[in-house]
């Protein structure tokens, strides 16, 4: 039978878990939090575990995030017995189990590498500046262990890692006016100072290793203070500011996206929910330049994190980087976006692919390297190869037939799509159907296979 009342399905129920098969997702109806796996066919859905939900507290009040590690997914959840702890699942009921009892009150700062998942747990379970322990897990109970301890009085956060043997960590003093970056050897626990920053609660708000440098965004609590783009070779002398980023929106500071494409590193600033600035660097201040900047605040209001669908900021398809921005012709309207592409062989030239009504990029599966990029806009499904000539309509999108433009929602009645590893390309998506309410659906690139999944427990 189906679980509970279909109209009670959360708009944010599904999350892609890892690049293999199957996908994992949550269902939080009837005061229960249910973990599932699926390959997109209802007959193959498997219910893995159930956790309680307390509507009067933060007790599993939001859907846990997945952290993919090999063929397992990790997640933080409260089972009603052990408290808020780290769990793992290998896609079987017996293989869904508690990993460690660290007695936490909230999801800790964490970092994932190819082999391990690291997290810092405050020893008391409360308070950021209490003594803390650095843990490491390979996704099994036997492979989960404490590897370092930090004294109290400072707040520690995991930033990045170039490889499993080295972590980049930040620590803030109790006054929150000094931030220090240091590297930590995971085998010897030896620390090496990198750089110290001072300011109004400075923090690292995104990072990306590329080439010989760690690129990172530095932000603070000042709503009207510009962010900064830095890079470091993990030495004090080799730490350099590349750019003071113009303020995208005086009402809201959104975390940027830092990534590499071709021969360059990039800083993508966000205004609300869409890219509003793109900078490129070769690793030097002189070689850092703007490729696109918004003309003033394009979105005035909140960050949009609670809207049904948050657009994918960018997708790389072959030698093309594709991303939407707000329309420059209507800078204060959320209804229109321009779609752009950038080629790795012509890294200085942005190409306008067209202007669309609230486009939603359908991110391809990581194993899919050949098909075009698909996206939905207004009532249609489109595809693009990153060129204007190769951007064309596919047909009517069956999940957007009732879509209406709305100033305060990114799209009416449809959630964020998550890709499955199938041919043709297929996505899981929550959809608000007039007959069933919010339910889990499957749609593919051909527009012929769009159907509702029946969840049988």
């Amino acid at each position: 039978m189906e679980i509970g009342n279909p109209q009670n399905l959360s708009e944010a129920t599904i999350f892609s878990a890892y690049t293999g098969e199957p996908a994992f997702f949550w269902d939080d109806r009837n005061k229960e939090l249910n973990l599932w796996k699926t390959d997109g066919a209802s007959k193959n859905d498997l219910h893995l575990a159930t956790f309680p939900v307390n509507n009067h507290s933060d007790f599993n009040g939001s859907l846990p995030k997945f952290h993919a590690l090999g063929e397992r997914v990790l997640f933080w959840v409260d089972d009603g017995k052990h408290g808020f702890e780290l769990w793992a699942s290998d896609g079987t009921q017996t293989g869904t189990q508690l990993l460690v009892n660290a007695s936490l009150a909230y999801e800790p700062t964490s970092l994932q590498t190819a082999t391990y998942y690291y997290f810092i747990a405050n020893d008391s379970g409360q308070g950021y500046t209490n003594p803390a322990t650095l843990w490491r897990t390979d996704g099994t109970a036997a492979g989960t262990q404490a590897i370092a301890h930090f004294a109290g009085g400072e707040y520690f956060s995991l930033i990045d890692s170039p490889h499993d043997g080295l972590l980049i960590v930040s620590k803030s003093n109790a006054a929150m006016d000094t931030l220090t970056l240091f590297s930590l050897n995971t085998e010897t626990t030896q620390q090496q100072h990198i750089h110290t920053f001072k300011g109004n609660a400075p923090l690292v708000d995104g990072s990306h290793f590329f080439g010989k440098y760690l690129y990172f965004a530095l932000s603070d609590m000042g709503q009207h203070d510009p962010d900064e783009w830095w890079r470091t070779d993990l030495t004090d002398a080799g730490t350099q500011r590349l750019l003071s980023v113009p303020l995208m929106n005086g009402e809201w500071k959104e975390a940027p996206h830092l990534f590499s494409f071709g021969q360059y590193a990039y800083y993508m600033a966000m205004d609300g929910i869409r890219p509003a600035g793109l900078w490129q660097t070769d690793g030097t201040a002189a070689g850092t330049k703007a490729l696109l900047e918004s003309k003033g605040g394009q979105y005035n209001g909140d960050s949009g994190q609670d809207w049904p669908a948050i657009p994918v900021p960018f997708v790389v398809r072959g030698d093309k980087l594709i991303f939407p921005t707000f329309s420059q012709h209507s800078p204060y309207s959320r209804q229109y976006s321009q779609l752009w592409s950038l080629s790795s062989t012509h890294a200085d030239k942005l190409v306008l692919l067209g202007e669309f009504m609230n486009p939603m990029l359908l991110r391809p599966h990581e194993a899919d390297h050949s098909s075009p990029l698909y996206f939905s806009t207004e009532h249609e499904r489109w595809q693009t190869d990153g060129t204007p000539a190769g951007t064309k309509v596919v047909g009517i999108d069956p999940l957007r037939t009732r879509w209406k433009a709305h100033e305060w929602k990114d799209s009416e009645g449809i959630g964020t799509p998550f890709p499955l590893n199938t041919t043709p390309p297929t996505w899981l998506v929550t959809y608000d159907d007039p007959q069933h309410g919010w339910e889990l659906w499957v749609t593919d690139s051909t527009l012929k296979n769009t159907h509702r999944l029946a969840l049988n427990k």
Side-chain angles (χ1 to χ4, degrees):
M1 66 176 183
E2 293 187 1
I3 299 178
N5 180 355
Q7 296 185 11
N8 289 338
L9 183 62
S10 168
E11 297 175 7
T13 267
I14 57 174
F15 297 88
S16 181
Y18 65 98
T19 58
E21 292 297 339
F24 291 77
F25 66 92
W26 293 104
D27 167 0
D28 63 349
R29 288 177 278 188
N30 289 349
K31 297 183 180 181
E32 288 184 340
L33 186 61
N34 294 287
L35 176 65
W36 297 79
K37 75 170 184 179
T38 185
D39 61 3
S42 296
K43 63 181 180 180
N44 296 329
D45 292 338
L46 177 64
H47 177 258
L48 301 176
T50 296
F51 301 93
V53 174
N54 188 338
N55 293 332
H56 301 291
S57 70
D58 293 332
F59 185 52
N60 295 342
S62 59
L63 299 179
K65 294 182 295 184
F66 289 123
H67 304 277
L69 188 62
E71 296 185 350
R72 290 180 172 84
V73 290
L74 313 182
F75 51 92
W76 294 87
V77 72
D78 192 332
D79 66 351
K81 299 178 182 178
H82 300 90
F84 192 67
E85 304 295 355
L86 183 63
W87 285 64
S89 177
D90 62 1
T92 67
Q93 293 175 336
T94 56
T96 301
Q97 54 191 218
L98 178 72
L99 274 188
V100 61
N101 192 342
S103 302
L104 302 184
Y106 48 83
E107 183 164 348
T109 175
S110 64
L111 178 64
Q112 185 178 324
T113 66
T115 308
Y116 296 108
Y117 174 77
Y118 298 87
F119 65 94
I120 297 178
N122 292 100
D123 294 343
S124 67
Q126 300 178 354
Y128 290 113
T129 57
N130 287 314
T133 298
L134 172 64
W135 292 78
R136 179 177 68 189
T137 181
D138 62 2
T140 67
T144 302
Q145 59 183 327
I147 61 173
H149 296 279
F150 300 115
E154 294 176 312
Y155 169 57
F156 293 86
S157 182
L158 297 174
I159 303 300
D160 217 318
S161 172
H163 52 79
D164 282 316
L166 194 69
L167 302 181
I168 310 303
V169 185
S170 73
K171 62 179 178 180
S172 301
N173 62 352
M176 297 296 287
D177 58 8
T178 300
L179 176 78
T180 299
L181 288 185
F182 65 92
S183 62
L184 184 142
N185 185 304
T186 59
E187 300 305 320
T188 66
T189 69
Q190 180 179 359
Q191 299 180 19
Q192 183 67 45
H193 175 267
I194 297 176
H195 195 76
T196 297
F197 305 89
K198 293 185 180 296
N200 179 18
L203 58 91
V204 175
D205 203 8
S207 64
H208 177 70
F209 265 105
F210 179 59
K212 63 179 180 179
Y213 295 122
L214 170 68
Y215 295 88
F216 60 96
L218 191 68
S219 182
D220 61 34
M221 296 299 291
Q223 287 294 95
H224 301 282
D225 296 338
D227 291 343
E228 296 177 345
W229 191 15
W230 289 70
R231 62 97 167 131
T232 180
D233 62 2
L234 307 188
T235 69
D236 193 21
T239 301
Q240 179 184 12
R241 186 179 67 178
L242 299 174
L243 177 71
S244 180
V245 183
L247 190 65
M248 294 293 103
N249 191 320
E251 295 188 30
W252 182 265
K253 295 182 74 169
E254 181 88 358
H257 294 274
L258 275 60
F259 58 94
S260 53
F261 173 62
Q263 302 300 311
Y264 298 94
Y266 291 86
Y267 183 112
M268 179 176 280
M270 306 294 289
D271 181 5
I273 57 171
R274 293 184 194 154
L278 184 66
W279 287 266
Q280 175 194 87
T281 187
D282 61 3
T284 67
T288 302
K289 56 185 176 182
L291 298 181
L292 182 145
E293 290 186 68
S294 66
K295 302 182 182 347
Q298 294 174 309
Y299 169 59
N300 294 329
D302 208 345
S303 68
Q305 297 300 318
D306 294 327
W307 293 329
I310 302 171
V312 173
F314 67 90
V315 170
V316 174
R317 298 303 282 151
D319 69 338
K320 300 289 193 306
L321 173 75
I322 302 170
F323 64 96
T325 67
F326 287 94
S327 171
Q328 296 292 326
H329 303 297
S330 305
Y332 297 102
S333 172
R334 295 191 62 257
Q335 297 184 19
Y336 289 91
S337 287
Q338 293 173 325
L339 197 63
W340 300 85
S341 75
L342 180 68
S343 171
S344 60
T345 56
H346 296 85
D348 296 331
K349 185 179 180 181
L350 283 172
V351 176
L352 181 63
L353 302 180
E355 185 168 299
F356 304 92
M357 178 79 82
N358 273 22
M360 178 188 294
L361 305 187
L362 300 177
R363 184 185 294 280
H365 193 273
E366 291 184 13
D368 177 9
H369 302 290
S370 59
S371 65
L373 171 66
Y374 294 91
F375 63 96
S376 296
T377 176
E378 199 166 13
H379 302 136
E380 297 174 323
R381 181 80 57 81
W382 287 66
Q383 68 178 45
T384 183
D385 62 1
T387 68
T391 303
K392 52 190 178 182
V393 67
V394 177
I396 300 299
D397 190 327
L399 295 184
R400 291 186 63 140
T401 56
R402 297 187 302 116
W403 186 91
K404 294 181 180 179
H406 195 292
E407 283 294 319
W408 298 102
K409 291 183 179 180
D410 181 64
S411 66
E412 196 78 36
I414 187 169
T416 305
F418 295 93
L420 296 175
N421 187 13
T422 60
T423 302
T426 306
W427 296 268
L428 288 174
V429 61
T430 42
Y431 174 60
D432 189 7
D433 176 72
Q435 179 179 358
H436 303 97
W438 281 102
E439 276 286 9
L440 189 62
W441 287 66
V442 171
T443 184
D444 73 357
S445 60
T446 69
L447 301 178
K448 298 177 181 179
N449 181 21
T450 298
H451 63 275
R452 181 172 62 92
L453 283 182
L455 304 182
N456 299 307
K457 182 179 177 182

